Amino acid sequence: MIHLSEADIIILVRRTINEAKINESEYYSGEDETEMDNIIKSRILEALRFVNEKADVELLEPDKVVTTIDTTKNVGDYVCGIVRVPGFHRIVRIRVDGWKKTLTDIVYDDDHTYLMQSDCYTCGTPDKPVAYICNDLDGNRTIELYSLPPVAESTTPESAEGSTVSPYRIRLEYMSLQTELNENDRGIDISDRVKEAYVCYLSFLVLAILNDHHADDFLNMALQLLGVSQNNTQQ
């Protein structure tokens, strides 16, 4: 992860637009610089959310990690692990001891396959694990892991205080949702490998607000750098 201050971001966006030689209007120079800077400032977080949501997971550096399962429930011969993810924005990858693969494709519980997880004959297994993004009864975001191998109670470890400790070793990495700018420099933290795409997308937002016909060029560049197709992207 790298940190970009508000001043850094303004310089990068202005340089990107100018290097593309689209500074064809007086609107982008001189006395109008303040207005453009204000537009850039107003879209810093919006651009960050877009990039973190759309980027290929291999480009992202997760800033949060969860290593414990909060609760479990039985599904036939298997166990479903339930993990809380505070401040969640996007899951990057999930690794669980006993699973045959690392998961990077996690869907929401409105997916038609979610209903199959209540049946031990159609639910995910350690050989073919699946995970779903859900909301608990309190409205908190959780991740349900299907499925974990059962563990005998006699082998379940206890902590020094005597409480039960989850026998499952997991590593759930995710991007947190940044809702506020850094209080010192009004900046953001961002994965280094999506920095260029971020600047291109923010340039797109600025030019779209200005009704500049070059805006789509920057959108296309951002999507290409993120590894996604514009046909599969909705604004």
Side-chain angles (χ1 to χ4, degrees), residues 74-95:
N74 294 325
V75 183
D77 294 333
Y78 297 111
V79 175
C80 168
I82 301 173
V83 183
R84 287 196 296 266
V85 280
F88 158 84
H89 183 205
R90 183 182 178 186
I91 303 297
V92 176
R93 62 185 63 88
I94 304 174
R95 298 186 180 97

Side-chain angles (χ1 to χ4, degrees), residues 51-60 90 194 225-228:
V51 168
N52 283 345
E53 180 179 340
K54 301 298 182 182
D56 186 294
V57 293
E58 296 302 321
L59 300 176
L60 296 174
R90 183 182 178 186
V194 299
L225 291 167
L226 294 172
V228 297

